[in-house]
Amino acid sequence: MFDALFRFFFDLSPVVFSQGEFRLAPSTGSYVAAVAVGVAVGLTLLAYRSGRGRARDRIALATIRVALLALILLCLFRPLLVVKAAVPQQNFLGVLLDDSRSMQIADYGGQQRAAFVRDEFGAPDRGLLKALSDRFTIRTFRFSAAPSRVTQEDLAFNGSQTRLGAALSGVRQELAGLPVAGLVMITDGADTADTALGDALLGLRAEGLPVFTVGVGQETLSKDIQVGRVVTPKTALKGTTLMVDVVLSQSGFDGQKVTIDVEDEGTLVSTQQVTLPDAGTPASIPVRFSVTEAGPRVLRFRVSPQPGELVTENNAREALIDVRDRKEKILYFEGEPRFELKFLRRAVTEDPNLIVTALQRTADNKYLRLGVDTPDELVAGFPKTREELFAYRGLILGSIEAGAFSGDQLRMIAEFVDRRGGGLLMLGGPRAFAEGGYAGTAVADVLPVVLDRSQVQPKDSVSRLSVKPTRAGNATAVTQLADTEAASVEKWESLPVVTAVNRIDAIKPGATILLSGTDETRRERPVLTFQRYGRGKSFAFTPQDSWVWQMHASIPVDDMTHENYWRQLLRWLVDGVPDQVEPNTMTERVEPGEAAEITANVVDPSFVELNDAAVVVRVTGPDGAVSDVPMAWDGEHSGQYNASIPTKAPGWYEARLEATRGGKTVGSTVTHFRAAPGDIEFFDATMRAATLKRIADDTGGRFYQAGGTATLADDLRYTGRGVTTVEEHDLWHLPIVLILLVGLLCAEWGYRRVVGLA
Amino acid sequence: MLSAWRSGLAIACLVAATSVALLALGADLSTVASAKAEAVAEAAQDGMRRFGGGRRAAVAIDPGKADYDGRFSFVRLRYGPTFDGYSRREPPWAHDYPRADFHFLKILSEITFVRTFIDEGNILTLDDPDLSLFPIAYMSEPGFWTLSEEEMAGFRAYLQKGGFVIFDDFRDNHRANLVAQMRRVLPDARWVPLDPAHPVFHSFFEINSLDIMGYYGPAEWTGIFEDNDPAKRLMAIANYNHDLGEMWEFSDTGYLPVDLSNEAYKFGVNYVVYAMTH
């Protein structure tokens, strides 16, 4: 519309004006005319200096007259638009056709987006291809990831990804050295690359190569539900109950109820009914399920396709979780004999993946060791070296005062969280928190609650707390006591009160309260508070007797609330705690044939980063073939090693990372990734006009909608690139000039009529 | 080992010192239980007479009430007819009350880091909901124990959920009654003779031999384990032919050898520490 209007007034395409240079080409007569116009202006001003009418009317009429004379003078000076135009058939044009799966989406006038490509580029004697061929020598490329030369028959629209930047860079390099007028990119713009477009655009801009983008498809799908994102942990202990956030968005299904199913390798493990959010507003839905099988597990989060949906492939998301079946060791240091230790240990005793080793101080300098692996373990009391403490993955401090530790031990505990990445849990008790003298210590820095030595609870003062989950607690698996949020809240409300002897008035800025308690004065107190600190995390659980949730007369014998609570909390305590060799698979899935990038952190037993370790990845492919890939220190981050692992066949790849130093093993660990085609093409698969416009604007090209490419071939002539000739376009006879002249004359006449000077 | 020896020595010293002090004061027991001095003194005098072979015909027992606040309270289990704080004869469940209870609490709090009520205790029936707040309970004279249906259900739940019970002060055919009543509570439970190697005898003091002459004869220790599995939690322990309570009760009088009271306290302390950690 804008183009048509522009052409009506200016007789030329906007591209010509944007690429052209404005000049004047006056003849000798032009200067004579200028003198005449100057005389005419002088006479005009003289005439309107006095006479009839008000002063302001005379000024307005004089202005109109002078403008009219100026316009005439401009035309007499012969204004020109000088533009470089490509010489027909002397230049090349790169045409990039999107061959990815998203081009199968049927939102181009009821047809697939691919239909536009077939219509316009399907035959050399029609459509856009003909228009371009008449002016340029065409080089056609298809792209999804990397570009390649194609004929129309090669297009299958089944590429599993779209990498706009890689395609543009590839074609630019392919056409290097040729007189190229520009590039034309036909795509929906749904870029699936992890990297930004900036680098590719920088190269094009540096070379002055304009990209003319044509967007195919709609910017909003009329009816669609999308599972946009699923946030899952990379690893989990076997048997852990997880609560993950599933981000849903939709259009055309406001308020509709749908079911989110979670499948573990095809087996339904959870189902939950939700109401869809408002259109265009993504909503995060917490979904609860358990991982019961060890090994690499692909969890699929799916919303059943609804009638009328344009894209159903984006109704499901997959996530890889490495489910580990191993025993995680937790050290529980309790400063006084009390029932909390007994019932906590009992709660997790049936958990095959948790071992709580207890160091129970029974009297001054007298300890009882429970659950130790060797006769020497903890024989000298609480660990005195980092190597000894860091062998545990979680640490629970019961009612044990800060004075029971040396200064170095307190720093070790802080480093256990910060550097080792372990989980710290402090339990309520008369010797815990500020009452236990922790304010101002290194441990206080780590805890998620603020300790103030001047704000301790009076001795023998006990608060009785009714505990309930906060909003954050309701969205966390650790505080879920039933299958649904409503049932869980009801369960919490039915639990007996617990007692607390610690005064906690504030939490740290980055901390989250998951459970809160109401005391006898209706005051809210934090009960379970959590924060991430350094590489690890810390918890504060303020009651001194959660065992009441097991023993109380109102609790049935077979009730598992207490057991479930502690299993979930302790599993979370050790969740994600790193090993000495800790892999971070950057991509859990790659396309078959692509390389998987793996990074790993390597540390010594006291978790100091090692930069001189020999690290090797032993890769076992789906066909059983084994290969060793060395990992190299990245030279930038201490203790971080990188490797690129090639893939061939689709399937699971096991990567066993082994680190040695000086001939001694530092550690080893196993991770997995898979090579498989994905559905990423169908996520956020609307036509990305903003992205395509940015490409065009940054490179000096133009963006077109698929239905408005009529001027594309002509516009391409004026990029100024390649073999060109100079064209001069006279501007004095443009329709807009005539309209202005007539308009000014009419304006003067009309004004006179209105003010009575006609 | 050194710590155990030191703690044992501390008990002996404490017991001896308490005995001498109280004897010098003419066995004025008001210092032991100031809150209930009158009742305590009366019961104590009754106990002393009993130790000499006599019994009072009528007794008044303050049931006591230690409201739960997180501390350990000595819970004495009451059974039999409804009790209003007064009995024509000292009921068997009340034997050694209250001096045994409070003496034990005092020793426990001095020797260990267990936070306890000192001069308050609880006397609770097996179907009392408050019993669940005190996972260790003590029963005297189980040979006379009788159970209502409600008590049976309450006690079963208490043990299954994690409670621990000490049966003390019984001999001869009293054991048959204990076994019979416990069969009603836990029909599948088996009494298992305890070995000196069991953790309950090493939780605080190192008790390496059970070859002990009890109050009524050679003592035997038997227990009931969770799921009848000796590797699992000990839920109940019975001191057959023994009377720890009696020895705790008179530990401040000099009527009994210090060594006997000393050993009795060791068993009691170990029971509590074990039950708090296992």
Side-chain angles (χ1 to χ4, degrees):
Chain A
M1 179 66 185
F2 170 77
D3 273 12
L5 213 55
F6 193 92
R7 277 179 173 275
F8 174 77
F9 286 115
F10 294 92
D11 216 18
L12 291 167
S13 162
V15 171
V16 181
F17 277 88
S18 65
Q19 298 290 336
E21 189 182 331
F22 182 80
R23 286 185 194 165
L24 294 174
S27 61
T28 309
S30 300
Y31 296 104
V32 176
V35 173
V37 169
V39 171
V41 169
L43 290 174
T44 300
L45 294 176
L46 199 62
Y48 281 111
R49 188 175 173 191
S50 60
R52 291 190 303 156
R54 294 174 299 179
R56 69 179 187 189
D57 296 333
R58 284 185 274 123
I59 291 171
L61 289 167
T63 304
I64 295 171
R65 179 69 60 84
V66 169
L68 181 65
L69 291 169
L71 183 61
I72 292 169
L73 182 61
L74 178 67
C75 292
L76 292 172
F77 269 70
R78 200 189 167 207
L80 293 172
L81 190 65
V82 181
V83 64
K84 288 181 185 173
V87 178
Q89 302 303 330
Q90 295 291 308
N91 293 290
F92 287 83
L93 183 70
V95 177
L96 292 83
L97 303 176
D98 189 342
D99 191 32
S100 68
R101 296 174 69 191
S102 60
M103 294 295 282
Q104 296 175 20
I105 296 173
D107 65 342
Y108 171 64
Q111 301 179 77
Q112 290 186 348
R113 295 169 183 177
F116 173 80
V117 178
R118 293 193 186 99
D119 291 347
E120 300 295 335
F121 293 88
D125 58 346
R126 62 185 169 90
L128 198 50
L129 181 58
K130 180 175 189 313
L132 295 174
S133 302
D134 288 346
R135 295 164 176 80
F136 303 99
T137 303
I138 305 297
R139 291 284 182 270
T140 309
F141 301 83
R142 71 173 177 185
F143 73 95
S144 53
S148 59
R149 287 284 298 275
V150 289
T151 61
Q152 170 63 25
E153 291 73 30
D154 293 332
L155 293 171
F157 304 101
N158 60 1
S160 57
Q161 50 196 318
T162 302
R163 296 186 176 175
L164 300 178
L168 289 169
S169 296
V171 172
R172 178 173 65 84
Q173 288 165 13
E174 186 86 12
L175 299 179
L178 297 176
V180 181
L183 303 180
V184 176
M185 179 174 251
I186 317 292
T187 177
D188 53 22
D191 192 22
T192 59
D194 295 329
T195 52
L197 272 170
D199 287 347
L201 298 185
L202 198 63
L204 292 163
R205 204 159 52 225
E207 210 168 292
L209 187 60
V211 181
F212 290 70
T213 52
V214 179
V216 190
Q218 301 297 317
E219 291 186 65
T220 307
L221 297 179
S222 57
K223 295 194 88 175
D224 185 48
I225 297 172
Q226 174 170 290
V227 179
R229 192 161 52 92
V230 180
V231 184
T232 58
K234 288 184 186 303
T235 61
L237 268 184
K238 182 184 172 188
T240 296
T241 298
L242 300 171
M243 183 90 92
V244 305
D245 287 332
V246 176
V247 179
L248 284 186
S249 58
Q250 61 86 25
S251 54
F253 294 102
D254 280 12
Q256 186 161 322
K257 282 186 166 34
V258 296
T259 302
I260 300 177
D261 294 329
V262 184
E263 295 170 356
D264 180 354
E265 303 281 0
T267 305
L268 187 67
V269 293
S270 171
T271 184
Q272 181 175 329
Q273 193 175 60
V274 297
T275 302
L276 290 172
D278 292 341
T281 309
S284 184
I285 314 285
V287 175
R288 187 171 187 263
F289 63 96
S290 297
V291 284
T292 54
E293 298 294 330
R297 311 295 296 181
V298 174
L299 278 297
R300 185 175 170 83
F301 302 82
R302 188 172 67 89
V303 175
S304 297
Q306 301 299 305
E309 262 196 276
L310 274 176
V311 184
T312 56
E313 289 86 347
N314 65 359
N315 286 35
R317 275 270 187 191
E318 290 184 343
L320 171 67
I321 300 179
D322 229 327
V323 182
R324 295 174 173 175
D325 187 10
R326 66 182 188 187
K327 293 184 183 299
E328 305 282 24
K329 206 165 178 185
I330 298 168
L331 173 61
Y332 179 1
F333 188 21
E334 182 56 77
E336 61 185 67
R338 58 178 189 160
F339 294 110
E340 194 69 348
L341 178 135
K342 166 195 179 137
F343 284 93
L344 187 152
R345 289 188 69 225
R346 194 161 170 253
V348 300
T349 193
E350 298 292 326
D351 192 319
N353 300 108
L354 292 177
I355 297 178
V356 176
T357 300
L359 181 65
Q360 169 74 69
R361 186 178 66 174
T362 54
D364 202 13
N365 284 324
K366 187 169 175 59
Y367 299 96
L368 181 64
R369 297 176 299 143
L370 301 165
V372 292
D373 287 337
T374 65
D376 295 337
E377 188 176 355
L378 301 172
V379 73
F382 189 80
K384 293 181 175 57
T385 64
R386 281 154 182 78
E387 287 83 351
E388 194 184 354
L389 179 63
F390 292 179
Y392 299 93
R393 304 174 76 82
L395 174 63
I396 304 172
L397 296 180
S399 186
I400 178 78
E401 70 280 3
F405 302 99
S406 67
D408 189 50
Q409 283 176 315
L410 290 170
R411 284 190 294 276
M412 272 168 49
I413 294 171
E415 288 174 18
F416 177 81
V417 180
D418 186 16
R419 201 170 83 198
R420 190 258 181 273
L424 171 68
L425 167 63
M426 183 173 278
L427 305 178
R431 301 166 195 258
F433 297 107
E435 289 74 7
Y438 283 95
T441 68
V443 175
D445 295 340
V446 176
L447 290 174
V449 294
V450 177
L451 304 185
D452 184 347
R453 57 168 62 92
S454 65
Q455 299 287 320
V456 297
Q457 186 137 319
K459 202 176 178 190
D460 301 330
S461 170
V462 176
S463 302
R464 289 178 162 74
L465 304 174
S466 299
V467 179
K468 62 178 184 303
T470 61
R471 183 185 290 267
N474 279 328
T476 309
V478 70
T479 47
Q480 288 284 302
L481 299 181
D483 289 338
T484 64
E485 182 180 325
S488 177
V489 169
E490 190 179 341
K491 186 69 189 175
W492 276 109
E493 288 172 350
S494 73
L495 291 179
V497 297
V498 289
T499 65
V501 293
N502 303 103
R503 178 171 172 179
I504 304 289
D505 289 333
I507 64 168
K508 299 276 180 66
T512 305
I513 299 175
L514 301 175
L515 293 175
S516 70
T518 309
D519 66 12
E520 304 92 327
T521 62
R522 312 302 299 166
R523 185 172 159 230
E524 288 287 317
R525 291 160 167 260
V527 168
L528 178 65
T529 312
F530 155 81
Q531 77 170 5
R532 295 205 171 275
Y533 188 90
R535 290 181 184 166
K537 51 188 172 292
S538 63
F539 298 82
F541 182 67
T542 54
Q544 60 173 341
D545 50 10
S546 69
W547 57 266
V548 171
W549 294 336
Q550 164 75 11
M551 275 301 291
H552 197 269
S554 65
I555 304 291
V557 172
D558 56 358
D559 186 279
M560 295 296 286
T561 300
H562 181 258
E563 287 91 340
N564 287 341
Y565 173 73
W566 279 109
R567 284 180 198 181
Q568 288 167 186
L569 181 54
L570 296 194
R571 278 173 173 265
W572 196 19
L573 188 70
V574 296
D575 175 53
V577 175
D579 292 320
Q580 278 184 246
V581 178
E582 184 65 18
N584 300 308
T585 307
M586 301 303 284
T587 45
E588 64 184 42
R589 184 196 63 80
V590 294
E591 293 294 318
E594 282 192 347
E597 304 296 330
I598 288 190
T599 64
N601 292 315
V602 180
V603 295
D604 71 4
S606 56
F607 280 72
V608 174
E609 291 87 355
L610 297 175
N611 295 334
D612 57 352
V615 188
V616 174
V617 191
R618 176 150 293 182
V619 184
T620 307
D623 53 358
V626 178
S627 60
D628 285 348
V629 179
M631 298 187 81
W633 176 47
D634 71 359
E636 190 176 348
H637 306 95
S638 275
Q640 186 160 306
Y641 294 75
N642 296 335
S644 185
I645 301 176
T647 64
K648 289 179 184 171
W652 282 107
Y653 287 76
E654 180 193 272
R656 175 178 292 277
L657 282 66
E658 294 178 344
T660 56
R661 188 186 187 214
K664 293 181 179 174
T665 299
V666 175
S668 67
T669 193
V670 176
T671 187
H672 299 83
F673 63 92
R674 62 188 173 131
D679 286 336
I680 193 169
E681 273 291 306
F682 294 102
F683 290 88
D684 297 322
T686 53
M687 193 269 283
R688 307 287 183 78
T691 302
L692 299 178
K693 194 165 186 316
R694 180 194 161 198
I695 294 172
D697 290 347
D698 278 13
T699 58
R702 281 194 82 200
F703 167 66
Y704 303 82
Q705 298 275 0
T709 55
T711 62
L712 173 61
D714 269 343
D715 293 346
L716 277 162
R717 290 184 60 228
Y718 300 106
T719 61
R721 294 257 319 170
V723 180
T724 58
T725 181
V726 176
E727 287 184 359
E728 290 184 350
H729 296 274
D730 275 317
L731 301 179
W732 67 268
H733 54 58
L734 292 184
I736 187 69
V737 176
L738 181 64
I739 290 169
L740 274 175
L741 282 172
V742 174
L744 287 169
L745 286 171
C746 290
E748 185 181 355
W749 177 75
Y751 198 96
R752 283 178 178 279
R753 292 276 298 173
V754 169
V755 299
L757 294 175
Chain B
M1 181 62 85
L2 185 63
S3 296
W5 182 84
R6 284 166 56 190
S7 300
L9 182 64
I11 287 186
C13 292
L14 196 67
V15 169
T18 311
S19 305
V20 171
L22 294 181
L23 280 172
L25 292 170
D28 180 0
L29 299 177
S30 62
T31 55
V32 178
S34 58
K36 306 170 185 65
E38 200 172 317
V40 167
E42 187 179 6
Q45 286 161 13
D46 170 59
M48 279 186 283
R49 270 190 287 278
R50 176 188 159 208
F51 187 74
R55 286 192 180 224
R56 281 181 62 136
V59 292
I61 299 173
D62 187 335
K65 184 67 175 174
D67 284 334
Y68 172 72
D69 65 359
R71 283 181 290 169
F72 172 76
S73 166
F74 194 99
V75 173
R76 180 176 283 268
L77 294 174
R78 179 166 66 77
Y79 50 84
T82 304
F83 180 71
D84 58 3
Y86 181 84
S87 176
R88 293 175 61 83
R89 287 182 58 82
E90 181 189 60
W93 58 262
H95 286 179
D96 314 319
Y97 177 85
R99 300 198 326 144
D101 307 25
F102 297 156
H103 285 180
F104 176 70
L105 287 175
K106 187 172 282 184
I107 290 292
L108 184 67
S109 95
E110 289 288 343
I111 295 299
T112 72
F113 278 175
V114 177
R115 287 184 302 125
T116 70
F117 288 94
I118 297 296
D119 50 8
E120 289 176 281
N122 279 312
I123 297 174
L124 301 171
T125 57
L126 290 168
D127 59 349
D128 190 327
D130 283 349
L131 178 61
S132 65
L133 297 174
F134 304 99
I136 299 176
Y138 172 89
M139 182 183 286
S140 183
E141 294 273 18
F144 299 95
W145 180 25
T146 55
L147 267 171
S148 69
E149 289 296 318
E150 292 76 19
E151 288 173 326
M152 188 177 68
F155 195 34
R156 181 185 300 139
Y158 177 80
L159 292 174
Q160 288 177 336
K161 285 196 276 187
F164 179 83
V165 64
I166 303 162
F167 294 108
D168 189 33
D169 192 5
F170 67 108
R171 55 184 158 169
D172 301 335
N173 59 352
H174 290 174
R175 177 145 69 181
N177 184 60
L178 170 62
V179 171
Q181 298 301 338
M182 278 305 290
R183 189 172 293 131
R184 293 179 63 202
V185 176
L186 299 170
D188 297 327
R190 290 198 312 271
W191 286 97
V192 178
L194 296 179
D195 188 88
H198 190 274
V200 75
F201 301 117
H202 306 278
S203 59
F204 192 85
F205 292 106
E206 292 295 327
I207 300 172
N208 295 313
S209 170
L210 298 179
D211 187 14
I212 293 171
M213 179 56 70
Y215 195 73
Y216 304 113
E220 292 177 21
W221 277 265
T222 54
I224 293 176
F225 291 91
E226 197 170 39
D227 301 331
N228 288 321
D229 181 355
K232 290 190 175 177
R233 177 176 66 96
L234 186 63
M235 305 161 74
I237 191 165
N239 316 316
Y240 177 68
N241 263 347
H242 211 357
D243 190 352
L244 300 180
E246 190 89 354
M247 296 180 183
W248 299 341
E249 180 184 13
F250 295 109
S251 61
D252 63 345
T253 62
Y255 297 160
L256 286 171
V258 169
D259 283 352
L260 286 184
S261 295
N262 193 359
E263 292 302 312
Y265 278 123
K266 285 183 180 177
F267 278 98
V269 169
N270 272 27
Y271 292 169
V272 170
V273 173
Y274 173 86
M276 285 185 159
T277 52
H278 290 76

